[in-house]
Amino acid sequence: MSDRRVVILLGPPGAGKGTQAVRLSAGLGLPHVSTGDLFRENLSNSTELGKRAKGFMEAGQLVPDELVLEMLFDRVSKPDCAEGYLLDGFPRTIPQAEALDVRLAGEDTAALLLEVDDSLIVGRAAGRLLCKSCGNIQHLEYAPPAKAGVCDQCGGELHRRKDDEPEVVRERLVVYHDQTAPLVGFYENKGQLRRVKGDQSPDAVYADLLQCLEGVV
Ligand code: AMP
């Protein structure tokens, strides 16, 4: 066993992975590595990778594995990940999970599944607001900004992600069930899966996540 701790957050789009990842990252002292954020950064900087990922993201489809893996492995090679990291939105396919597994041989790993029923997902995503400046996530209903359209954390502009439009979210859900849900069995077979009910208050979800991690990583 190494001293490196790797925590994987799994769950459908809009399950609260991003919100919980920010808290867990601070609570566990592990860098938050979100492949969605990395792609959005590449998009707004108009990099070659961003241009290649754009069409897939806007359609609610997955970006091809080889692009994701190269970007992710580059990120987790950085010095801040030397003692571990928290993965949000990765892996999303069995080949991604297998590639990660090869890289992580012998390291303490936990996969936390945020379970939320499909019937709640579209409404949740539709109310989600993302800060253009600091990436803070708020919600029209669950974490409403004190001033409409303004980030509580940094005063930046809040906006709705294009891929949170109901039509795109429905497509992302289909993709989730088809390509990402098989990861539940993958991590269950390895004895690394922990399930948390995602349809509770953010505080209750966070407390459950921390409890799942006790003595594991
Ligand atoms: P997220 O912010 O995690 O919901 O990701 C936004 C979008 O980025 C997804 O709908 C995909 O198009 C793309 N993406 C993020 N992570 C991955 C991944 N691990 N594999 C493939 N595509 C991804």
Side-chain angles (χ1 to χ4, degrees):
M1 283 284 167
S2 82
D3 291 338
R4 199 133 78 133
R5 300 174 296 158
V6 175
V7 177
I8 299 166
L9 273 180
L10 293 175
K17 295 187 299 294
T19 302
Q20 295 298 332
V22 170
R23 296 179 71 163
L24 274 177
S25 163
L28 301 172
L30 293 176
H32 172 199
V33 177
S34 154
T35 41
D37 285 350
L38 291 172
F39 279 127
R40 279 184 287 278
E41 223 174 274
N42 275 279
L43 266 186
S44 58
N45 294 332
S46 297
T47 66
E48 203 47 48
L49 178 61
K51 286 179 197 153
R52 291 172 75 182
K54 187 171 192 266
F56 296 103
M57 293 175 73
E58 288 182 352
Q61 297 290 329
L62 295 184
V63 177
D65 288 338
E66 61 274 18
L67 295 183
V68 184
L69 286 168
E70 195 183 327
M71 175 181 78
L72 188 270
F73 289 154
D74 181 55
R75 171 66 189 89
V76 299
S77 305
K78 302 257 156 71
D80 66 324
C81 292
E83 290 181 5
Y85 43 88
L86 172 69
L87 290 172
D88 162 16
F90 180 95
R92 260 185 162 96
T93 64
I94 292 284
Q96 289 179 18
E98 287 171 344
L100 179 67
D101 217 36
V102 169
R103 192 180 170 103
L104 290 184
E107 291 176 14
D108 292 335
T109 306
L112 305 173
L113 173 65
L114 284 180
E115 295 184 297
V116 177
D117 199 76
D118 279 8
S119 59
L120 292 176
I121 297 287
V122 176
R124 272 193 173 205
R128 180 156 65 174
L129 299 167
L130 188 71
C131 175
K132 281 187 176 173
S133 306
C134 74
N136 179 34
I137 302 169
Q138 299 208 214
H139 196 280
L140 284 175
E141 197 180 330
Y142 310 119
K147 189 170 167 210
V150 178
C151 173
D152 282 353
Q153 203 163 275
C154 78
E157 185 190 341
L158 292 172
H159 75 124
R160 179 153 93 168
R161 277 168 49 176
K162 261 193 195 161
D163 61 351
D164 276 344
E165 304 286 342
E167 213 174 280
V168 184
V169 173
R170 282 190 202 99
E171 177 59 24
R172 288 166 67 201
L173 260 180
V174 170
V175 169
Y176 174 77
H177 287 294
D178 191 35
Q179 301 194 56
T180 306
L183 297 181
V184 174
F186 180 91
Y187 287 109
E188 212 154 35
N189 287 339
K190 291 166 66 67
Q192 293 174 335
L193 189 80
R194 305 284 180 277
R195 294 171 187 267
V196 167
K197 277 170 61 67
D199 56 352
Q200 316 175 70
S201 70
D203 286 349
V205 173
Y206 182 60
D208 283 359
L209 289 170
L210 283 184
Q211 200 177 18
C212 283
L213 288 172
E214 265 170 33
V216 178
V217 293

